Amino acid sequence: MLNTNKALEQHRIPQAFYSQKPLQVNLSKAQPTVLFVTSYPPRECGIATYSQDLIIALKSKFNKTYDIEICVLLTETELQSNIKKPKYSLDTTSWVSFIELAKSINMNNNICLVVIQHEFGFFELHPQFLIDFLKLLAKPAITVFHTVLPLPSDSLKQTVLAIADSTQLVVMTNFSKKILLDEYALAPEKVTVIEHGTHLVPHISQTVLKQKYGFVNRKVLVTFGLLSAGKNIESTLLALPDIIAKHPEVIFIIMGKTHPSVLKTEGELYRNKLEALVTEQKLENHVCFVNKFVPLDELLENLQMADIYIFTSKDRHQAVSGTFSYAISCGCPIISTSIPHAIEVIGDDAGVLIDFENSPQITKEVNRLLADDSIRLKISTNGLHRMASTAWENSANAHATLFATVANKTIKLKYNMPPINLDHLKKMTTDFGIIQFANINEPDNTTGYTLDDNARALVAMCQYFEITKDIAVIPYISIYLDFITFCLLPEGYFLNYVDYDNHNFTEQNFKTNLADSNGRAIWALGYLMSIEALLPTKFGVQASKSLNLSLSQVYKIHSTRAMSFIIKGLYYAGLAYPKEYYNVLIVMLADRLTQMYKHESDAHWSWYESYFTYANSVMPEALLCAYLSTGDPNYKKLAKSSFDFLLSKIYEENGIHVVSNRGWTESHAAQAATKGGEQPIDVAYTILALKKFFAVFKENEYLNKMEIAFNWFLGHNHLNQIIYNPCTGGCYDGLEENNVNLNQGAESTVSYLMARLAVHRSLGILRDATKHNYILDFDKVNVHKPVFSVM
């Protein structure tokens, strides 16, 4: 990563940097309330932690959609204490408490939905109290079953059916849903599966973490959770001697304090038993107890540090395990007993399943994995891809969608706009340029650099600097500009591919058509020129010189997209340097696009080619730029008609589905749209075009479509999954039919940033974007007084 402090010393910031004041937008709006009935911290139990994590995710993504209130399930200690009770609380041993809570909810017009986090232990003394409460409740309700028991007794079955009669049910595995359908005879539409959420992590180096926690040169085995006999940790302790015989560097970390309910009934009996076993087997140098409720950040770092995670529950019917889920999502190769959740998630390639209470199997599998780094890496990678859909952000999306359905349309989802995060873009950038691809969120240096990515990165960083005036990005602007100049040959055209090691142009440059790459470079140079008054003087001089040299080759270019990018670049350059020569070239290229349109279009196909492929929005946007440069109304008319035609093909009801890279759309094709193969760059280009069309035509529908398109990154897509990773600041490389491509390369990451900045500017939010969340509420934008210039 670049040393920005040192690099900043090389640049002077012009006075224009300090001259602009930000605009403000009031985005407040009354909203309904969702009430959670659950255990909650400071209570220490798995469901309390689960509810806290889910509510944090919901507030982070949808806090302008609804408020969330919590009705706390009171413990015996809290009932006996004199401390002030929260606004909503429930004594599960008191029928009166249930009735009073139902009355309070029914009288509150703001509460639109009640969500109950259910564990049988919470209501085991008086299960009928909960049923009576649900019957009295006059608001829609959802019950989340954290346990689903097979082979139910008649009384248990009647209890579950009575709960289901009054609420929509949520379970966390398909196995649990199957039990409810097969053994409780519930209808499929009554049960929704939303997997246990997991935390996105930055995947910190194991070496760094082992140094931080004092385990350098150790092979680390980890298990965690509130301690009880059901964890069966003794199975791993009994396996350790034979593991240590082959791998003497092994240490086994047992994280977590004793479960409060266990502590209450039997004290530290189980922990003492484990410690005695450690002493008996002389394992003191190979076992580490962490006897505390581990803070989340520390927990996630320990899981990322682990070479293997070992899960040894002996409950054959355990429906779900949050500890198991967290471990896989942190990239831990996992060895697990065969609880239904593990069988469903691990499959054949995302971990190792073992029998219950089987120490010899633990020995065998740990030794096998420790002996082969490649197997552990494969399991880790497969596990990450398997668990991607369970990120808390995705869990929030799934819950919010269900809330909107169950709450009888009283909830209209509004996604929060994440704060801008440049961490991954900076991580991908060396002192020479931005690396092309990544493995997950680690730059893949073997893929080298491209002009395409560095040109897009230059545009994005210039846009970011316009909004934030953050001088820390000046060195990055310099790097991307220098890379473009490096790729420009004396003859006036650009090469695209550069290797990492020696910064040599690769053979691929001479086997690939580079017209589009040349167009992107001219776009980037022109954009920088349009804001050069804000930048060090030498940047504008360098960009202008490179642009003018490259224009000597423009007349040879006939690629639709290349011509479109060039028009955009000349339009932006003309904002700073109104030159007749630029307009002459714009007219030449715009006329070529117009002729292509006339050749390919008919009464049912209003397009420049006989198919839709990639970067389609660039062409109508380019013609609109041509209109803005020349004033020719024909360009304006054609730009609008063709863009509206494109939008009619890629927008569905309340969603966007850009053209798949797995099957281009032919004119008059009867084929259905291909699911999957949707790339962030195409969504981003659509948003950039919508921004400019709204600026010119002032039509609200362009803003509405911009919101819909941006929400695609946040999870409003056919998988209901995030494409932007708020933890790393990276953007996933694509939305496939059944999964998201988790690699976070330069193209997708820069594309998201351009989209985020375009939406930011269109809303007129020019405050410190790096420190605040904003709601996407396009109803608040005054379309009669545009809040941004035609940039």
Side-chain angles (χ1 to χ4, degrees):
M1 186 181 292
L2 184 67
N3 184 335
T4 53
N5 290 332
K6 182 178 180 181
L8 272 172
E9 296 173 2
Q10 304 172 13
H11 307 290
R12 294 178 64 251
I13 308 302
Q15 186 63 35
F17 164 86
Y18 302 98
S19 64
Q20 298 185 11
K21 294 183 178 180
L23 300 176
Q24 303 284 333
V25 174
N26 182 4
L27 298 174
S28 62
K29 188 175 182 179
Q31 52 200 18
T33 297
V34 176
L35 179 69
F36 274 68
V37 180
T38 180
S39 61
Y40 205 75
R43 183 171 179 175
E44 294 172 346
C45 74
I47 293 179
T49 302
Y50 170 92
S51 294
Q52 182 182 53
D53 288 339
L54 175 58
I55 288 169
I56 288 172
L58 285 166
K59 287 183 175 179
S60 175
K61 291 186 71 72
F62 300 106
N63 73 326
K64 297 300 181 182
T65 298
Y66 38 65
D67 293 321
I68 294 178
E69 297 271 8
I70 300 166
C71 173
V72 178
L73 301 180
L74 297 175
T75 64
E76 183 177 342
T77 301
E78 290 167 334
L79 287 169
Q80 295 173 353
S81 71
N82 293 321
I83 61 173
K84 184 180 178 180
K85 301 297 188 293
K87 179 179 177 181
Y88 294 101
S89 62
L90 178 64
D91 174 6
T92 58
T93 67
S94 166
W95 185 79
V96 172
S97 182
F98 279 93
I99 302 310
E100 288 180 346
L101 176 61
K103 180 180 178 181
S104 177
I105 292 171
N106 291 340
M107 292 178 64
N108 188 332
N109 291 330
N110 287 334
I111 295 177
C112 68
L113 180 69
V114 178
V115 180
I116 301 162
Q117 301 294 333
H118 181 279
E119 180 58 68
F120 288 103
F122 291 160
F123 309 100
E124 62 182 343
L125 293 178
H126 305 285
Q128 187 62 40
F129 290 179
L130 176 62
I131 295 170
D132 292 343
F133 165 78
L134 292 173
K135 288 180 178 179
L136 289 171
L137 202 60
K139 303 294 176 78
I142 294 171
T143 299
V144 182
F145 276 133
H146 288 255
T147 297
V148 176
L149 295 173
L151 306 175
S153 64
D154 288 342
S155 61
L156 175 60
K157 184 174 181 178
Q158 291 308 311
T159 296
V160 170
L161 291 176
I163 293 171
D165 189 53
S166 302
T167 66
Q168 176 71 22
L169 301 184
V170 170
V171 295
M172 298 182 195
T173 66
N174 290 308
F175 185 84
S176 293
K177 180 173 182 176
K178 188 174 188 301
I179 291 174
L180 289 176
L181 269 54
D182 294 348
E183 300 186 36
Y184 293 79
L186 288 174
E189 62 272 14
K190 194 68 179 177
V191 186
T192 302
V193 178
I194 303 178
E195 295 180 89
H196 193 295
T198 58
H199 293 278
L200 296 171
V201 297
H203 300 290
I204 304 168
S205 162
Q206 269 192 335
T207 302
V208 170
L209 291 173
K210 286 182 179 180
Q211 185 172 15
K212 176 178 178 178
Y213 288 99
F215 297 113
V216 176
N217 298 323
R218 303 298 295 266
K219 291 292 187 184
V220 179
L221 314 180
V222 171
T223 193
F224 88 94
L226 293 170
L227 214 59
S228 68
K231 300 288 186 185
N232 192 36
I233 291 170
E234 59 270 23
S235 289
T236 304
L237 294 178
L238 292 170
L240 272 183
D242 288 335
I243 294 172
I244 294 166
K246 288 190 175 183
H247 302 280
E249 71 279 19
V250 159
I251 186 162
F252 179 38
I253 302 175
I254 303 169
M255 303 180 68
K257 65 188 296 184
T258 300
H259 197 291
S261 61
V262 173
L263 198 62
K264 179 181 175 181
T265 58
E266 63 182 49
E268 292 286 11
L269 181 65
Y270 183 63
R271 183 181 298 276
N272 293 338
K273 173 185 173 183
L274 296 179
E275 289 176 344
L277 186 57
V278 168
T279 302
E280 177 186 325
Q281 299 205 107
K282 298 180 172 58
L283 298 174
E284 291 89 346
N285 295 328
H286 298 277
V287 176
C288 174
F289 286 92
V290 182
N291 186 7
K292 65 178 183 179
F293 194 82
V294 183
L296 180 62
D297 289 348
E298 181 181 339
L299 171 63
L300 296 178
E301 286 191 345
N302 273 269
L303 292 175
Q304 292 173 76
M305 175 181 67
D307 293 285
I308 298 174
Y309 182 82
I310 302 178
F311 178 81
T312 52
S313 169
K314 59 183 179 182
D315 182 356
R316 271 80 170 161
H317 301 307
Q318 184 169 347
V320 67
S321 167
T323 64
F324 168 90
S325 300
Y326 282 17
I328 297 184
S329 68
C330 285
C332 290
I334 191 165
I335 295 173
S336 173
T337 48
S338 301
I339 66 168
H341 186 199
I343 294 171
E344 188 169 307
V345 171
I346 285 177
D348 298 326
D349 58 0
V352 177
L353 293 171
I354 57 173
D355 294 331
F356 294 91
E357 302 176 78
N358 194 318
S359 296
Q361 276 194 345
I362 295 174
T363 299
K364 175 185 175 183
E365 295 302 339
V366 169
N367 282 334
R368 181 174 71 90
L369 295 189
L370 289 180
D372 193 329
D373 293 348
S374 64
I375 292 179
R376 294 204 311 279
L377 177 61
K378 181 179 179 181
I379 290 174
S380 171
T381 302
N382 290 340
L384 287 172
H385 283 86
R386 195 68 53 81
M387 297 300 288
S389 63
T390 69
W392 280 116
E393 289 76 6
N394 290 330
S395 181
N397 286 339
H399 279 89
T401 301
L402 182 63
F403 292 175
T405 301
V406 175
N408 299 324
K409 298 182 180 180
T410 58
I411 293 176
K412 178 185 176 183
L413 292 184
K414 289 183 176 291
Y415 291 76
N416 285 355
M417 186 158 40
I420 295 170
N421 180 354
L422 301 181
D423 288 352
H424 188 61
L425 188 147
K426 291 179 177 180
K427 183 178 182 179
M428 292 287 289
T429 301
T430 70
D431 60 1
F432 182 69
I434 190 167
I435 297 294
Q436 184 176 190
F437 294 128
N439 291 318
I440 308 296
N441 68 321
E442 288 298 318
D444 184 355
N445 294 339
T446 65
T447 63
Y449 309 89
T450 67
L451 174 66
D452 291 333
D453 292 328
N454 282 273
R456 283 186 287 257
L458 179 60
V459 173
M461 275 303 193
C462 286
Q463 292 172 336
Y464 176 81
F465 185 74
E466 282 183 274
I467 291 173
T468 66
K469 308 302 185 295
D470 179 4
I471 62 174
V473 304
I474 291 292
Y476 292 90
I477 292 175
S478 179
I479 287 170
Y480 304 139
L481 176 59
D482 286 346
F483 186 91
I484 293 173
T485 304
F486 175 84
C487 292
L488 179 59
L489 301 185
E491 296 83 357
Y493 60 87
F494 297 89
L495 297 182
N496 189 35
Y497 302 98
V498 181
D499 72 21
Y500 175 80
D501 293 325
N502 302 307
H503 300 170
N504 291 329
F505 292 115
T506 70
E507 287 298 316
Q508 192 173 356
N509 287 291
F510 309 104
K511 300 176 181 178
T512 307
N513 189 319
L514 302 181
D516 288 4
S517 301
N518 278 254
R520 291 185 191 96
I522 292 173
W523 170 38
L525 293 169
Y527 197 95
L528 185 147
M529 291 168 63
S530 73
I531 66 160
E532 67 172 50
L534 302 176
L535 297 168
T537 303
K538 66 177 184 179
F539 287 5
V541 173
Q542 183 179 351
S544 179
K545 181 179 178 182
S546 298
L547 178 75
N548 289 330
L549 176 58
S550 68
L551 294 182
S552 64
Q553 299 293 329
V554 163
Y555 70 95
K556 299 178 182 178
I557 292 178
H558 292 267
S559 160
T560 49
R561 286 155 190 80
M563 291 190 297
S564 298
F565 284 120
I566 293 169
I567 291 172
K568 288 180 64 174
L570 292 171
Y571 160 71
Y572 285 116
L575 295 178
Y577 294 95
K579 290 186 178 181
E580 185 59 31
Y581 178 51
Y582 292 167
N583 274 1
V584 169
L585 290 176
I586 286 174
V587 169
M588 177 188 75
L589 298 173
D591 284 348
R592 288 180 184 176
L593 285 176
T594 301
Q595 288 303 314
M596 289 178 170
Y597 177 88
K598 290 179 179 179
H599 183 267
E600 296 294 342
S601 64
D602 59 31
H604 304 288
W605 184 256
S606 302
W607 199 242
Y608 309 84
E609 300 165 318
S610 61
Y611 43 76
F612 288 137
T613 58
Y614 63 95
N616 297 297
S617 298
V618 172
M619 286 173 272
E621 184 191 1
L623 277 185
L624 194 58
C625 287
Y627 157 71
L628 292 170
S629 295
T630 67
D632 188 333
N634 292 315
Y635 296 150
K636 180 182 181 182
K637 180 180 179 182
L638 180 53
K640 187 175 192 327
S641 64
S642 60
F643 189 51
D644 289 349
F645 174 74
L646 171 65
L647 296 178
S648 73
K649 299 298 183 182
I650 63 175
Y651 276 85
E652 303 168 343
E653 184 178 359
N654 298 321
I656 185 173
H657 181 92
V658 293
V659 177
S660 170
N661 65 2
R662 296 196 290 108
W664 304 134
T665 301
E666 302 288 339
S667 64
H668 311 302
Q671 65 194 43
T674 303
K675 276 194 174 182
E678 294 181 66
Q679 295 183 299
I681 191 169
D682 282 311
V683 179
Y685 281 153
T686 303
I687 289 172
L688 294 182
L690 285 164
K691 170 178 170 286
K692 188 163 267 82
F693 274 80
F694 172 71
V696 173
F697 293 99
K698 311 298 186 298
E699 293 183 9
N700 276 344
E701 187 59 23
Y702 290 133
L703 280 184
N704 294 334
K705 283 183 163 55
M706 191 185 299
E707 178 181 16
I708 291 168
F710 188 77
N711 287 346
W712 181 91
F713 288 101
L714 306 182
H716 187 49
N717 50 60
H718 76 266
L719 290 183
N720 211 28
Q721 293 184 31
I722 56 170
I723 308 300
Y724 169 67
N725 183 322
C727 175
T728 65
C731 181
Y732 298 135
D733 279 351
L735 176 68
E736 303 302 337
E737 183 174 1
N738 300 307
N739 65 281
V740 173
N741 182 339
L742 297 185
N743 295 328
Q744 297 160 51
E747 176 184 292
S748 54
T749 296
V750 172
S751 295
Y752 168 81
L753 179 59
M754 287 193 292
R756 171 66 175 80
L757 294 168
V759 171
H760 183 93
R761 291 164 63 118
S762 295
L763 285 173
I765 304 170
L766 301 181
R767 291 186 287 179
D768 182 1
T770 63
K771 296 182 180 179
H772 302 281
N773 282 332
Y774 301 101
I775 180 67
L776 295 182
D777 190 351
F778 289 81
D779 295 336
K780 294 296 182 181
V781 178
N782 186 338
V783 297
H784 301 294
K785 296 180 180 179
V787 295
F788 58 98
S789 62
V790 189
M791 289 289 288

